[in-house]
Amino acid sequence: MDPILSEVYSTVLPAAPYVLAAYIGIWLVLFIFVLVLWRKSKHTSEDIEALKQALEDRRDSQR
């Protein structure tokens, strides 16, 4: 094997598990972040619907 390639591989390959773990960690954090935002969005939509219903009930009671 070429000595230059051997030196490159000996430098890069030991770090591969750390790089892989970093990518997995980043994707996991991103997935959790999107999940939290999705749940908050769902709750916000429910709150908006409840406010619309309350406003409609109030308008009906004033008539």
Side-chain angles (χ1 to χ4, degrees):
M1 180 182 280
D2 187 16
I4 295 175
L5 286 177
S6 177
E7 183 179 339
V8 168
Y9 289 150
S10 69
T11 304
V12 172
L13 287 181
Y18 300 111
V19 172
L20 184 61
Y23 275 109
I24 290 172
I26 289 169
W27 279 105
L28 186 63
V29 167
L30 183 63
F31 176 75
I32 291 170
F33 179 69
V34 169
L35 184 66
V36 167
L37 286 180
W38 176 71
R39 289 185 67 202
K40 285 186 178 187
S41 172
K42 185 178 176 184
H43 290 299
T44 302
S45 295
E46 291 171 357
D47 289 343
I48 290 172
E49 289 302 317
L51 287 171
K52 284 180 182 179
Q53 185 64 38
L55 183 60
E56 186 177 313
D57 292 345
R58 185 174 177 185
R59 283 184 187 157
D60 290 342
S61 69
Q62 288 178 351
R63 291 183 183 174

